[in-house]
Amino acid sequence: MSDFEIREASASDVPDLIRLVQGLAAYEKEPDAATATPEQFHEALFPAQGDPTAYALVGVREGAVVAMAIWFRSFSTWTGQAGIWLEDLFVEPEQRGLGIGKALLRRLAAICVERGWTRLEWTVLDWNTPSIEFYRAHGADPLDEWTTFRVDGPALSVLAAT
């Protein structure tokens, strides 16, 4: 029996989600890149109107939120089915090795299966060997032939204006 629980995040978890995102940014060597505000998270996860932009699961141990998985619905034109894009999964360093990360992945996989969705996907930094080994150990295959692209900042504005 585990001494933690996995549950859907609630609006009261937003400060912990922000804290965990900042912890992830520090781990990924970009502590200044995490600029999201609690207000932005509230609007994205718990909007006053309309559907959420994203969803979150949290891992709770001894009454404290110690882990998170933030995800959104994706779509595959090849399968014609929805899926989950896992934006971030993070477990506080001192809480690792207890099965919390695996439990978060299992819950995301269960959401896909329950809803008839065909994929659970995410990216991981090439240098992040511990995470790569963790994901491989749980049946994930790297898509080495794919390269992720991003347009943001000034380049996004330039592209929009051309």
Side-chain angles (χ1 to χ4, degrees):
M1 178 146 174
S2 62
D3 64 343
F4 61 86
E5 71 169 311
I6 302 300
R7 63 169 172 77
E8 290 184 19
S10 67
S12 65
D13 294 318
V14 167
D16 287 313
L17 291 170
I18 294 288
R19 176 181 54 78
L20 291 168
V21 167
Q22 290 169 342
L24 174 61
Y27 176 77
E28 291 184 351
K29 303 173 186 173
E30 291 196 58
D32 297 331
T35 60
T37 66
E39 294 77 22
Q40 290 170 319
F41 265 52
H42 275 285
E43 181 60 29
L45 297 168
F46 310 102
Q49 296 180 14
D51 294 331
T53 302
Y55 304 87
L57 299 173
V58 292
V60 179
R61 184 162 186 256
E62 298 176 353
V65 174
V66 299
M68 64 163 192
I70 298 178
W71 63 277
F72 55 89
R73 190 169 133 166
S74 62
F75 179 76
S76 168
T77 57
W78 288 27
T79 68
Q81 297 291 321
I84 286 178
W85 182 267
L86 175 58
E87 181 65 17
D88 286 324
L89 187 146
F90 184 71
V91 179
E92 291 179 339
E94 59 276 9
Q95 304 295 329
R96 294 180 186 158
L98 302 173
I100 299 170
K102 180 180 180 180
L104 287 166
L105 276 181
R106 287 182 66 190
R107 180 64 193 128
L108 292 169
I111 290 169
C112 286
V113 170
E114 290 162 7
R115 298 178 185 182
W117 298 352
T118 57
R119 293 181 177 173
L120 170 57
E121 299 176 292
W122 62 92
T123 58
V124 62
L125 291 166
D126 290 339
W127 60 260
N128 193 348
T129 304
S131 293
I132 292 168
E133 290 173 0
F134 169 78
Y135 294 135
R136 283 182 185 257
H138 296 298
D141 292 319
L143 301 177
D144 294 331
E145 66 276 14
W146 291 86
T147 300
T148 302
F149 283 84
R150 175 183 296 157
V151 179
D152 62 2
L156 185 62
S157 298
V158 169
L159 179 59
T162 58

